[in-house]
Amino acid sequence: MAGSSKQHWSAERYAATAHFVPAFGAPVVELLAPQPGERILDLGCGDGVLTEKIAAAGATVVAVDAAPDMVAAAKAKGLDARVVPGQSLAFEREFDAVFSNAALHWMHPQEAVLAGVARALKPGGRFVAEMGGHNNTAAIQTAFRAVLRRRGIEALNLSPWYFPSAAAYRARLEAAGFRVEEIAIVPRPTPLEAGLGAWLDTFTEDFLNPLVPDDRAAAKQEIIDLLQPILQDETGLWIADYVRLRFRATLPG
Ligand code: BEZ
């Protein structure tokens, strides 16, 4: 992974093209099993769709995200949402649980994120999350490498993402003081109802914006052409090669 993302997050675009993200997050909320009266931190809350579900279980939820437009959308739902980057958590022993869906892979450095999560939890607290795992969107990343290489650019140097294996992330969690109760890689082919082009617009500015503006549309089309035989089914539906890493870890009591 190269470093911090410069991706611009629009809550309106996200709701139109990426509403599947919170929809697929239901099993992670189930693994969290929020209880009435608990105080829970939602790390990388996006527009707050899953935060609302956690709050509906009777928990008090503080939601944080680095993107102001997403936080504004979460606040508009009546949530306690704050603009805080994941590597700058300043909470001290105040949460029963920290929850995160589809966000950790954008956060760097991971050591700072995990130290902040551990600090935010009460002793015995739990960290339940899902993020992109090893091989996530492998075909899409490989297409970017091929298309940007034609332009003399190594896409790996632009990647804002970190997609670890279960063994690698277990080691990180343990180094941060967690006991890992469960951790698994879960392949999850993901239908892109709005198409691959809309997905690329929503999530891949870090790769496309470094190109000269006049070349971006052509590069995007080359990526689509490369992936069409791999990721589009015979009905025309694009299905992205998502792979999740899901875990539940606890701090010693
Ligand atoms: C993900 O949630 O795995 C993901 C989303 C956008 C870009 C890359 C990965």
Side-chain angles (χ1 to χ4, degrees):
M1 142 5 264
S4 294
S5 176
K6 296 187 176 55
Q7 178 71 40
H8 160 257
W9 294 102
S10 150
E12 194 182 342
R13 183 172 68 178
Y14 193 85
T17 64
H19 49 271
F20 62 83
V21 175
F24 275 119
V28 199
V29 176
E30 216 168 283
L31 186 62
L32 173 69
Q35 301 300 309
E38 282 192 318
R39 192 166 163 79
I40 296 178
L41 176 66
D42 183 355
L43 172 58
C45 63
D47 56 6
V49 171
L50 287 179
T51 320
E52 274 187 314
K53 291 200 184 322
I54 298 166
T60 300
V61 191
V62 175
V64 297
D65 200 286
D69 202 52
M70 302 301 266
V71 168
K75 276 186 168 166
K77 293 181 171 75
L79 298 164
D80 176 356
R82 309 173 190 178
V83 179
V84 181
Q87 58 274 29
S88 307
L89 298 177
F91 304 101
E92 296 271 355
R93 292 177 165 239
E94 60 178 277
F95 292 103
D96 299 290
V98 175
F99 169 87
S100 186
N101 181 57
L104 285 169
H105 50 258
W106 293 93
M107 298 178 194
H108 310 285
Q110 285 287 318
E111 290 82 357
V113 178
L114 293 179
V117 171
R119 211 166 37 237
L121 283 168
K122 298 174 186 170
R126 63 196 187 282
F127 181 24
V128 175
E130 186 173 288
M131 64 192 290
H134 189 66
N135 280 339
N136 191 39
T137 57
I140 297 173
Q141 293 187 78
T142 303
F144 266 106
R145 288 196 77 197
V147 169
L148 268 57
R149 185 171 289 176
R150 290 174 194 157
R151 291 153 171 85
I153 298 171
E154 174 47 76
L156 289 180
N157 294 336
L158 299 175
S159 175
W161 305 322
Y162 170 59
F163 298 138
S165 66
Y169 213 70
R170 173 187 287 275
R172 282 193 186 275
L173 287 163
E174 289 174 352
F178 288 95
R179 186 174 58 228
V180 179
E181 313 283 352
E182 57 180 283
I183 186 163
I185 287 283
V186 185
R188 196 200 67 202
T190 298
L192 305 178
E193 308 287 350
L196 181 63
W199 188 93
L200 293 171
D201 291 339
T202 305
F203 290 120
T204 66
E205 285 176 4
D206 290 289
F207 298 99
L208 291 171
N209 280 2
L211 302 178
V212 290
D214 281 354
D215 187 34
R216 286 179 198 152
K220 191 176 137 189
Q221 191 57 51
E222 287 172 42
I223 289 159
I224 291 171
D225 291 346
L226 270 175
L227 289 170
Q228 189 270 329
I230 311 297
L231 296 185
Q232 195 174 36
D233 78 2
E234 59 195 305
T235 73
L237 178 65
W238 286 89
I239 305 174
D241 50 343
Y242 273 44
V243 176
R244 315 321 287 162
L245 177 65
R246 188 181 299 163
F247 64 84
R248 180 180 191 281
T250 52
L251 278 186

